[in-house]
mmCIF file with all atom_site columns, all heavy atoms in Angstrom:
data_model
loop_
_atom_site.group_PDB
_atom_site.id
_atom_site.type_symbol
_atom_site.label_atom_id
_atom_site.label_alt_id
_atom_site.label_comp_id
_atom_site.label_asym_id
_atom_site.label_entity_id
_atom_site.label_seq_id
_atom_site.pdbx_PDB_ins_code
_atom_site.Cartn_x
_atom_site.Cartn_y
_atom_site.Cartn_z
_atom_site.occupancy
_atom_site.B_iso_or_equiv
_atom_site.pdbx_formal_charge
_atom_site.auth_seq_id
_atom_site.auth_comp_id
_atom_site.auth_asym_id
_atom_site.auth_atom_id
_atom_site.pdbx_PDB_model_num
ATOM 1   N N   . LEU A 1 1  ? 103.710 160.885 109.452 1.00 0.00 ? 26 LEU A N   1
ATOM 2   C CA  . LEU A 1 1  ? 103.202 161.156 108.075 1.00 0.00 ? 26 LEU A CA  1
ATOM 3   C C   . LEU A 1 1  ? 102.834 159.815 107.597 1.00 0.00 ? 26 LEU A C   1
ATOM 4   O O   . LEU A 1 1  ? 103.643 158.982 107.237 1.00 0.00 ? 26 LEU A O   1
ATOM 5   C CB  . LEU A 1 1  ? 104.242 161.769 107.164 1.00 0.00 ? 26 LEU A CB  1
ATOM 6   C CG  . LEU A 1 1  ? 103.854 162.124 105.814 1.00 0.00 ? 26 LEU A CG  1
ATOM 7   C CD1 . LEU A 1 1  ? 102.700 163.127 105.730 1.00 0.00 ? 26 LEU A CD1 1
ATOM 8   C CD2 . LEU A 1 1  ? 105.017 162.578 104.952 1.00 0.00 ? 26 LEU A CD2 1
ATOM 9   N N   . ARG A 1 2  ? 101.488 159.488 107.540 1.00 0.00 ? 27 ARG A N   1
ATOM 10  C CA  . ARG A 1 2  ? 101.003 158.166 107.121 1.00 0.00 ? 27 ARG A CA  1
ATOM 11  C C   . ARG A 1 2  ? 101.109 157.842 105.721 1.00 0.00 ? 27 ARG A C   1
ATOM 12  O O   . ARG A 1 2  ? 101.133 156.727 105.260 1.00 0.00 ? 27 ARG A O   1
ATOM 13  C CB  . ARG A 1 2  ? 99.579  157.914 107.640 1.00 0.00 ? 27 ARG A CB  1
ATOM 14  C CG  . ARG A 1 2  ? 99.357  158.066 109.165 1.00 0.00 ? 27 ARG A CG  1
ATOM 15  C CD  . ARG A 1 2  ? 97.943  158.208 109.502 1.00 0.00 ? 27 ARG A CD  1
ATOM 16  N NE  . ARG A 1 2  ? 97.369  159.389 109.041 1.00 0.00 ? 27 ARG A NE  1
ATOM 17  C CZ  . ARG A 1 2  ? 96.162  159.630 108.627 1.00 0.00 ? 27 ARG A CZ  1
ATOM 18  N NH1 . ARG A 1 2  ? 95.288  158.480 108.622 1.00 0.00 ? 27 ARG A NH1 1
ATOM 19  N NH2 . ARG A 1 2  ? 95.646  160.770 108.241 1.00 0.00 ? 27 ARG A NH2 1
ATOM 20  N N   . GLY A 1 3  ? 101.084 158.920 104.932 1.00 0.00 ? 28 GLY A N   1
ATOM 21  C CA  . GLY A 1 3  ? 101.037 158.802 103.468 1.00 0.00 ? 28 GLY A CA  1
ATOM 22  C C   . GLY A 1 3  ? 101.097 160.201 102.832 1.00 0.00 ? 28 GLY A C   1
ATOM 23  O O   . GLY A 1 3  ? 100.893 161.203 103.466 1.00 0.00 ? 28 GLY A O   1
ATOM 24  N N   . GLU A 1 4  ? 101.329 160.111 101.469 1.00 0.00 ? 29 GLU A N   1
ATOM 25  C CA  . GLU A 1 4  ? 101.289 161.452 100.796 1.00 0.00 ? 29 GLU A CA  1
ATOM 26  C C   . GLU A 1 4  ? 100.212 161.461 99.710  1.00 0.00 ? 29 GLU A C   1
ATOM 27  O O   . GLU A 1 4  ? 100.052 160.473 98.885  1.00 0.00 ? 29 GLU A O   1
ATOM 28  C CB  . GLU A 1 4  ? 102.659 161.749 100.184 1.00 0.00 ? 29 GLU A CB  1
ATOM 29  C CG  . GLU A 1 4  ? 103.653 162.276 101.203 1.00 0.00 ? 29 GLU A CG  1
ATOM 30  C CD  . GLU A 1 4  ? 104.879 162.914 100.433 1.00 0.00 ? 29 GLU A CD  1
ATOM 31  O OE1 . GLU A 1 4  ? 105.695 162.246 100.169 1.00 0.00 ? 29 GLU A OE1 1
ATOM 32  O OE2 . GLU A 1 4  ? 104.771 164.237 100.280 1.00 0.00 ? 29 GLU A OE2 1
ATOM 33  N N   . VAL A 1 5  ? 99.378  162.513 99.687  1.00 0.00 ? 30 VAL A N   1
ATOM 34  C CA  . VAL A 1 5  ? 98.358  162.534 98.678  1.00 0.00 ? 30 VAL A CA  1
ATOM 35  C C   . VAL A 1 5  ? 98.858  162.538 97.222  1.00 0.00 ? 30 VAL A C   1
ATOM 36  O O   . VAL A 1 5  ? 99.803  163.290 96.924  1.00 0.00 ? 30 VAL A O   1
ATOM 37  C CB  . VAL A 1 5  ? 97.551  163.882 98.953  1.00 0.00 ? 30 VAL A CB  1
ATOM 38  C CG1 . VAL A 1 5  ? 96.469  163.997 97.774  1.00 0.00 ? 30 VAL A CG1 1
ATOM 39  C CG2 . VAL A 1 5  ? 96.877  163.773 100.250 1.00 0.00 ? 30 VAL A CG2 1
ATOM 40  N N   . ILE A 1 6  ? 98.327  161.745 96.374  1.00 0.00 ? 31 ILE A N   1
ATOM 41  C CA  . ILE A 1 6  ? 98.798  161.752 94.998  1.00 0.00 ? 31 ILE A CA  1
ATOM 42  C C   . ILE A 1 6  ? 97.670  162.026 94.055  1.00 0.00 ? 31 ILE A C   1
ATOM 43  O O   . ILE A 1 6  ? 97.894  162.159 92.870  1.00 0.00 ? 31 ILE A O   1
ATOM 44  C CB  . ILE A 1 6  ? 99.426  160.351 94.629  1.00 0.00 ? 31 ILE A CB  1
ATOM 45  C CG1 . ILE A 1 6  ? 98.439  159.169 94.909  1.00 0.00 ? 31 ILE A CG1 1
ATOM 46  C CG2 . ILE A 1 6  ? 100.714 160.166 95.399  1.00 0.00 ? 31 ILE A CG2 1
ATOM 47  C CD1 . ILE A 1 6  ? 98.946  157.817 94.410  1.00 0.00 ? 31 ILE A CD1 1
ATOM 48  N N   . GLN A 1 7  ? 96.416  162.108 94.485  1.00 0.00 ? 32 GLN A N   1
ATOM 49  C CA  . GLN A 1 7  ? 95.308  162.493 93.595  1.00 0.00 ? 32 GLN A CA  1
ATOM 50  C C   . GLN A 1 7  ? 94.195  163.086 94.387  1.00 0.00 ? 32 GLN A C   1
ATOM 51  O O   . GLN A 1 7  ? 93.807  162.617 95.508  1.00 0.00 ? 32 GLN A O   1
ATOM 52  C CB  . GLN A 1 7  ? 94.802  161.268 92.906  1.00 0.00 ? 32 GLN A CB  1
ATOM 53  C CG  . GLN A 1 7  ? 93.623  161.659 91.849  1.00 0.00 ? 32 GLN A CG  1
ATOM 54  C CD  . GLN A 1 7  ? 93.021  160.414 91.160  1.00 0.00 ? 32 GLN A CD  1
ATOM 55  O OE1 . GLN A 1 7  ? 93.057  159.351 91.728  1.00 0.00 ? 32 GLN A OE1 1
ATOM 56  N NE2 . GLN A 1 7  ? 92.512  160.633 89.950  1.00 0.00 ? 32 GLN A NE2 1
ATOM 57  N N   . ILE A 1 8  ? 93.692  164.231 93.951  1.00 0.00 ? 33 ILE A N   1
ATOM 58  C CA  . ILE A 1 8  ? 92.551  164.875 94.560  1.00 0.00 ? 33 ILE A CA  1
ATOM 59  C C   . ILE A 1 8  ? 91.442  164.941 93.556  1.00 0.00 ? 33 ILE A C   1
ATOM 60  O O   . ILE A 1 8  ? 91.555  165.264 92.416  1.00 0.00 ? 33 ILE A O   1
ATOM 61  C CB  . ILE A 1 8  ? 92.861  166.387 94.889  1.00 0.00 ? 33 ILE A CB  1
ATOM 62  C CG1 . ILE A 1 8  ? 94.043  166.458 95.923  1.00 0.00 ? 33 ILE A CG1 1
ATOM 63  C CG2 . ILE A 1 8  ? 91.710  167.166 95.506  1.00 0.00 ? 33 ILE A CG2 1
ATOM 64  C CD1 . ILE A 1 8  ? 94.500  167.905 96.191  1.00 0.00 ? 33 ILE A CD1 1
ATOM 65  N N   . GLY A 1 9  ? 90.291  164.435 93.932  1.00 0.00 ? 34 GLY A N   1
ATOM 66  C CA  . GLY A 1 9  ? 89.071  164.555 93.066  1.00 0.00 ? 34 GLY A CA  1
ATOM 67  C C   . GLY A 1 9  ? 87.965  165.158 93.808  1.00 0.00 ? 34 GLY A C   1
ATOM 68  O O   . GLY A 1 9  ? 87.689  164.876 95.017  1.00 0.00 ? 34 GLY A O   1
ATOM 69  N N   . ALA A 1 10 ? 87.105  165.888 93.146  1.00 0.00 ? 35 ALA A N   1
ATOM 70  C CA  . ALA A 1 10 ? 85.971  166.617 93.759  1.00 0.00 ? 35 ALA A CA  1
ATOM 71  C C   . ALA A 1 10 ? 84.906  166.933 92.753  1.00 0.00 ? 35 ALA A C   1
ATOM 72  O O   . ALA A 1 10 ? 85.176  167.144 91.667  1.00 0.00 ? 35 ALA A O   1
ATOM 73  C CB  . ALA A 1 10 ? 86.505  167.971 94.505  1.00 0.00 ? 35 ALA A CB  1
ATOM 74  N N   . VAL A 1 11 ? 83.684  166.888 93.328  1.00 0.00 ? 36 VAL A N   1
ATOM 75  C CA  . VAL A 1 11 ? 82.554  167.308 92.507  1.00 0.00 ? 36 VAL A CA  1
ATOM 76  C C   . VAL A 1 11 ? 81.743  168.308 93.291  1.00 0.00 ? 36 VAL A C   1
ATOM 77  O O   . VAL A 1 11 ? 81.443  168.187 94.502  1.00 0.00 ? 36 VAL A O   1
ATOM 78  C CB  . VAL A 1 11 ? 81.525  166.023 92.229  1.00 0.00 ? 36 VAL A CB  1
ATOM 79  C CG1 . VAL A 1 11 ? 80.332  166.437 91.593  1.00 0.00 ? 36 VAL A CG1 1
ATOM 80  C CG2 . VAL A 1 11 ? 82.340  165.007 91.394  1.00 0.00 ? 36 VAL A CG2 1
ATOM 81  N N   . LYS A 1 12 ? 81.295  169.406 92.541  1.00 0.00 ? 37 LYS A N   1
ATOM 82  C CA  . LYS A 1 12 ? 80.667  170.513 93.117  1.00 0.00 ? 37 LYS A CA  1
ATOM 83  C C   . LYS A 1 12 ? 79.181  170.375 92.903  1.00 0.00 ? 37 LYS A C   1
ATOM 84  O O   . LYS A 1 12 ? 78.765  170.163 91.778  1.00 0.00 ? 37 LYS A O   1
ATOM 85  C CB  . LYS A 1 12 ? 81.154  171.846 92.697  1.00 0.00 ? 37 LYS A CB  1
ATOM 86  C CG  . LYS A 1 12 ? 80.602  173.041 93.381  1.00 0.00 ? 37 LYS A CG  1
ATOM 87  C CD  . LYS A 1 12 ? 81.213  174.363 92.789  1.00 0.00 ? 37 LYS A CD  1
ATOM 88  C CE  . LYS A 1 12 ? 82.699  174.550 93.204  1.00 0.00 ? 37 LYS A CE  1
ATOM 89  N NZ  . LYS A 1 12 ? 83.248  175.868 92.678  1.00 0.00 ? 37 LYS A NZ  1
ATOM 90  N N   . LEU A 1 13 ? 78.315  170.496 93.958  1.00 0.00 ? 38 LEU A N   1
ATOM 91  C CA  . LEU A 1 13 ? 76.882  170.375 93.813  1.00 0.00 ? 38 LEU A CA  1
ATOM 92  C C   . LEU A 1 13 ? 76.249  171.720 94.215  1.00 0.00 ? 38 LEU A C   1
ATOM 93  O O   . LEU A 1 13 ? 76.696  172.403 95.133  1.00 0.00 ? 38 LEU A O   1
ATOM 94  C CB  . LEU A 1 13 ? 76.361  169.260 94.835  1.00 0.00 ? 38 LEU A CB  1
ATOM 95  C CG  . LEU A 1 13 ? 76.910  167.928 94.622  1.00 0.00 ? 38 LEU A CG  1
ATOM 96  C CD1 . LEU A 1 13 ? 76.534  167.010 95.695  1.00 0.00 ? 38 LEU A CD1 1
ATOM 97  C CD2 . LEU A 1 13 ? 76.526  167.261 93.214  1.00 0.00 ? 38 LEU A CD2 1
ATOM 98  N N   . ASP A 1 14 ? 75.197  172.055 93.533  1.00 0.00 ? 39 ASP A N   1
ATOM 99  C CA  . ASP A 1 14 ? 74.437  173.269 93.819  1.00 0.00 ? 39 ASP A CA  1
ATOM 100 C C   . ASP A 1 14 ? 73.450  173.031 94.901  1.00 0.00 ? 39 ASP A C   1
ATOM 101 O O   . ASP A 1 14 ? 73.398  171.935 95.496  1.00 0.00 ? 39 ASP A O   1
ATOM 102 C CB  . ASP A 1 14 ? 73.775  173.871 92.620  1.00 0.00 ? 39 ASP A CB  1
ATOM 103 C CG  . ASP A 1 14 ? 72.685  172.931 92.056  1.00 0.00 ? 39 ASP A CG  1
ATOM 104 O OD1 . ASP A 1 14 ? 72.223  172.048 92.721  1.00 0.00 ? 39 ASP A OD1 1
ATOM 105 O OD2 . ASP A 1 14 ? 72.336  173.099 90.824  1.00 0.00 ? 39 ASP A OD2 1
ATOM 106 N N   . LYS A 1 15 ? 72.693  174.045 95.291  1.00 0.00 ? 40 LYS A N   1
ATOM 107 C CA  . LYS A 1 15 ? 71.692  173.895 96.450  1.00 0.00 ? 40 LYS A CA  1
ATOM 108 C C   . LYS A 1 15 ? 70.658  172.860 96.257  1.00 0.00 ? 40 LYS A C   1
ATOM 109 O O   . LYS A 1 15 ? 70.088  172.326 97.129  1.00 0.00 ? 40 LYS A O   1
ATOM 110 C CB  . LYS A 1 15 ? 70.988  175.225 96.638  1.00 0.00 ? 40 LYS A CB  1
ATOM 111 C CG  . LYS A 1 15 ? 70.131  175.824 95.469  1.00 0.00 ? 40 LYS A CG  1
ATOM 112 C CD  . LYS A 1 15 ? 69.537  177.107 95.835  1.00 0.00 ? 40 LYS A CD  1
ATOM 113 C CE  . LYS A 1 15 ? 68.679  177.565 94.683  1.00 0.00 ? 40 LYS A CE  1
ATOM 114 N NZ  . LYS A 1 15 ? 68.040  178.926 95.016  1.00 0.00 ? 40 LYS A NZ  1
ATOM 115 N N   . ASN A 1 16 ? 70.438  172.410 94.978  1.00 0.00 ? 41 ASN A N   1
ATOM 116 C CA  . ASN A 1 16 ? 69.467  171.400 94.566  1.00 0.00 ? 41 ASN A CA  1
ATOM 117 C C   . ASN A 1 16 ? 70.205  170.033 94.470  1.00 0.00 ? 41 ASN A C   1
ATOM 118 O O   . ASN A 1 16 ? 69.580  169.097 94.018  1.00 0.00 ? 41 ASN A O   1
ATOM 119 C CB  . ASN A 1 16 ? 68.831  171.720 93.321  1.00 0.00 ? 41 ASN A CB  1
ATOM 120 C CG  . ASN A 1 16 ? 67.936  173.038 93.382  1.00 0.00 ? 41 ASN A CG  1
ATOM 121 O OD1 . ASN A 1 16 ? 67.331  173.267 94.367  1.00 0.00 ? 41 ASN A OD1 1
ATOM 122 N ND2 . ASN A 1 16 ? 68.004  173.909 92.382  1.00 0.00 ? 41 ASN A ND2 1
ATOM 123 N N   . MET A 1 17 ? 71.494  169.957 94.891  1.00 0.00 ? 42 MET A N   1
ATOM 124 C CA  . MET A 1 17 ? 72.233  168.722 94.841  1.00 0.00 ? 42 MET A CA  1
ATOM 125 C C   . MET A 1 17 ? 72.508  168.243 93.500  1.00 0.00 ? 42 MET A C   1
ATOM 126 O O   . MET A 1 17 ? 72.623  166.971 93.335  1.00 0.00 ? 42 MET A O   1
ATOM 127 C CB  . MET A 1 17 ? 71.663  167.666 95.794  1.00 0.00 ? 42 MET A CB  1
ATOM 128 C CG  . MET A 1 17 ? 71.373  168.034 97.208  1.00 0.00 ? 42 MET A CG  1
ATOM 129 S SD  . MET A 1 17 ? 72.828  168.672 98.039  1.00 0.00 ? 42 MET A SD  1
ATOM 130 C CE  . MET A 1 17 ? 73.862  167.147 98.088  1.00 0.00 ? 42 MET A CE  1
ATOM 131 N N   . GLN A 1 18 ? 72.566  169.139 92.549  1.00 0.00 ? 43 GLN A N   1
ATOM 132 C CA  . GLN A 1 18 ? 72.924  168.821 91.182  1.00 0.00 ? 43 GLN A CA  1
ATOM 133 C C   . GLN A 1 18 ? 74.288  169.139 90.879  1.00 0.00 ? 43 GLN A C   1
ATOM 134 O O   . GLN A 1 18 ? 74.835  170.268 91.212  1.00 0.00 ? 43 GLN A O   1
ATOM 135 C CB  . GLN A 1 18 ? 71.887  169.569 90.196  1.00 0.00 ? 43 GLN A CB  1
ATOM 136 C CG  . GLN A 1 18 ? 70.436  169.201 90.264  1.00 0.00 ? 43 GLN A CG  1
ATOM 137 C CD  . GLN A 1 18 ? 70.265  167.650 89.965  1.00 0.00 ? 43 GLN A CD  1
ATOM 138 O OE1 . GLN A 1 18 ? 70.709  167.200 89.012  1.00 0.00 ? 43 GLN A OE1 1
ATOM 139 N NE2 . GLN A 1 18 ? 69.503  167.081 90.892  1.00 0.00 ? 43 GLN A NE2 1
ATOM 140 N N   . PRO A 1 19 ? 75.129  168.273 90.228  1.00 0.00 ? 44 PRO A N   1
ATOM 141 C CA  . PRO A 1 19 ? 76.492  168.523 89.783  1.00 0.00 ? 44 PRO A CA  1
ATOM 142 C C   . PRO A 1 19 ? 76.635  169.776 88.975  1.00 0.00 ? 44 PRO A C   1
ATOM 143 O O   . PRO A 1 19 ? 75.860  169.964 87.978  1.00 0.00 ? 44 PRO A O   1
ATOM 144 C CB  . PRO A 1 19 ? 76.914  167.259 89.097  1.00 0.00 ? 44 PRO A CB  1
ATOM 145 C CG  . PRO A 1 19 ? 76.014  166.200 89.599  1.00 0.00 ? 44 PRO A CG  1
ATOM 146 C CD  . PRO A 1 19 ? 74.647  166.893 89.757  1.00 0.00 ? 44 PRO A CD  1
ATOM 147 N N   . CYS A 1 20 ? 77.610  170.647 89.379  1.00 0.00 ? 45 CYS A N   1
ATOM 148 C CA  . CYS A 1 20 ? 77.838  171.851 88.525  1.00 0.00 ? 45 CYS A CA  1
ATOM 149 C C   . CYS A 1 20 ? 79.251  172.117 88.330  1.00 0.00 ? 45 CYS A C   1
ATOM 150 O O   . CYS A 1 20 ? 79.650  173.214 87.907  1.00 0.00 ? 45 CYS A O   1
ATOM 151 C CB  . CYS A 1 20 ? 77.189  173.048 89.155  1.00 0.00 ? 45 CYS A CB  1
ATOM 152 S SG  . CYS A 1 20 ? 77.717  173.374 90.853  1.00 0.00 ? 45 CYS A SG  1
ATOM 153 N N   . GLY A 1 21 ? 80.147  171.057 88.553  1.00 0.00 ? 46 GLY A N   1
ATOM 154 C CA  . GLY A 1 21 ? 81.495  171.315 88.268  1.00 0.00 ? 46 GLY A CA  1
ATOM 155 C C   . GLY A 1 21 ? 82.282  170.076 88.909  1.00 0.00 ? 46 GLY A C   1
ATOM 156 O O   . GLY A 1 21 ? 81.865  169.385 89.888  1.00 0.00 ? 46 GLY A O   1
ATOM 157 N N   . SER A 1 22 ? 83.564  169.876 88.430  1.00 0.00 ? 47 SER A N   1
ATOM 158 C CA  . SER A 1 22 ? 84.334  168.839 88.916  1.00 0.00 ? 47 SER A CA  1
ATOM 159 C C   . SER A 1 22 ? 85.848  169.307 88.915  1.00 0.00 ? 47 SER A C   1
ATOM 160 O O   . SER A 1 22 ? 86.209  170.155 88.077  1.00 0.00 ? 47 SER A O   1
ATOM 161 C CB  . SER A 1 22 ? 84.166  167.506 88.061  1.00 0.00 ? 47 SER A CB  1
ATOM 162 O OG  . SER A 1 22 ? 84.551  167.657 86.835  1.00 0.00 ? 47 SER A OG  1
ATOM 163 N N   . TYR A 1 23 ? 86.618  168.603 89.619  1.00 0.00 ? 48 TYR A N   1
ATOM 164 C CA  . TYR A 1 23 ? 87.999  169.004 89.777  1.00 0.00 ? 48 TYR A CA  1
ATOM 165 C C   . TYR A 1 23 ? 88.784  167.659 90.038  1.00 0.00 ? 48 TYR A C   1
ATOM 166 O O   . TYR A 1 23 ? 88.456  166.721 90.767  1.00 0.00 ? 48 TYR A O   1
ATOM 167 C CB  . TYR A 1 23 ? 88.306  169.845 91.022  1.00 0.00 ? 48 TYR A CB  1
ATOM 168 C CG  . TYR A 1 23 ? 89.687  170.339 91.135  1.00 0.00 ? 48 TYR A CG  1
ATOM 169 C CD1 . TYR A 1 23 ? 90.180  171.470 90.552  1.00 0.00 ? 48 TYR A CD1 1
ATOM 170 C CD2 . TYR A 1 23 ? 90.613  169.506 91.894  1.00 0.00 ? 48 TYR A CD2 1
ATOM 171 C CE1 . TYR A 1 23 ? 91.579  171.826 90.678  1.00 0.00 ? 48 TYR A CE1 1
ATOM 172 C CE2 . TYR A 1 23 ? 91.873  169.944 92.052  1.00 0.00 ? 48 TYR A CE2 1
ATOM 173 C CZ  . TYR A 1 23 ? 92.382  171.087 91.488  1.00 0.00 ? 48 TYR A CZ  1
ATOM 174 O OH  . TYR A 1 23 ? 93.705  171.500 91.648  1.00 0.00 ? 48 TYR A OH  1
ATOM 175 N N   . GLN A 1 24 ? 89.978  167.583 89.304  1.00 0.00 ? 49 GLN A N   1
ATOM 176 C CA  . GLN A 1 24 ? 90.876  166.335 89.450  1.00 0.00 ? 49 GLN A CA  1
ATOM 177 C C   . GLN A 1 24 ? 92.275  166.790 89.271  1.00 0.00 ? 49 GLN A C   1
ATOM 178 O O   . GLN A 1 24 ? 92.616  167.555 88.270  1.00 0.00 ? 49 GLN A O   1
ATOM 179 C CB  . GLN A 1 24 ? 90.478  165.244 88.515  1.00 0.00 ? 49 GLN A CB  1
ATOM 180 C CG  . GLN A 1 24 ? 91.198  163.933 88.724  1.00 0.00 ? 49 GLN A CG  1
ATOM 181 C CD  . GLN A 1 24 ? 92.543  163.874 88.041  1.00 0.00 ? 49 GLN A CD  1
ATOM 182 O OE1 . GLN A 1 24 ? 93.381  163.192 88.533  1.00 0.00 ? 49 GLN A OE1 1
ATOM 183 N NE2 . GLN A 1 24 ? 92.750  164.533 86.836  1.00 0.00 ? 49 GLN A NE2 1
#
């Protein structure tokens, strides 16, 4: 176990590569 995740960040893009949502 090299480390433990302490933050998840994500951005959702549509088929036109435009941001349509985020998660943290």
Side-chain angles (χ1 to χ4, degrees):
L26 186 63
R27 298 168 294 148
E29 280 196 275
V30 174
I31 57 173
Q32 186 185 25
I33 301 173
V36 172
K37 187 178 291 185
L38 304 170
D39 61 22
K40 62 181 181 180
N41 298 316
M42 304 306 294
Q43 295 299 311
C45 59
S47 63
Y48 181 93
Q49 189 276 148

